[in-house]
Amino acid sequence: MNQSLPELRSNIIAGILQHVAETPGAVSYSAVFDRALAATGLTEEEVSQDTLHATSHLILSGLLLSNRFDEDMGEITFAHDTNVVAGRRLLGFVWDESLPTAEEDEGEDA
């Protein structure tokens, strides 16, 4: 492996975010995984765990939303039908919208 671990993980995250942010609809986890492979130039065995963990962290942070995330339980299930989309904050940044206030973020009126 030519990249350091932080550089590798940064490339994985960048590839995932760019792909999801540029795609107008839901993106399958397999497409996310393929994009991470392309972003790093490494084999599946070399990046599979880091890609899974990167995607999980992006979902848990709210930058991505997933149909397989149980917010109440705080659990993400990866299965054949796992999809992700850009979360509100990521979409807002891409479309140059201001960040929501704390009240708006909690669903209250400002």
Side-chain angles (χ1 to χ4, degrees):
M1 177 173 5
N2 295 334
Q3 300 177 19
S4 70
L5 194 55
E7 183 182 359
L8 168 67
R9 289 178 175 166
S10 296
N11 284 337
I12 290 170
I13 289 170
I16 293 169
L17 287 175
Q18 182 177 7
H19 185 60
V20 173
E22 291 175 346
T23 304
V27 178
S28 70
Y29 179 70
S30 100
V32 166
F33 190 84
D34 290 343
R35 179 62 182 247
L37 285 175
T40 63
L42 299 174
T43 67
E44 183 176 334
E45 293 78 22
E46 293 173 300
V47 297
S48 62
Q49 283 295 86
D50 285 324
T51 303
L52 179 71
H53 291 146
T55 306
S56 298
H57 285 293
L58 291 169
I59 293 168
L60 291 170
S61 74
L63 286 173
L64 299 182
L65 304 176
S66 175
N67 64 321
R68 303 290 287 177
F69 176 50
D70 182 335
E71 196 169 344
D72 294 333
M73 297 295 289
E75 295 177 351
I76 305 165
T77 306
F78 287 90
H80 71 282
D81 64 341
T82 300
N83 292 315
V84 295
V85 296
R88 259 182 35 181
R89 289 183 177 272
L90 180 57
L91 280 175
F93 174 75
V94 170
W95 290 98
D96 198 27
E97 297 172 359
S98 62
L99 288 174
T101 64
E103 292 82 21
E104 291 170 333
D105 202 33
E106 294 175 5
E108 298 175 11
D109 293 326

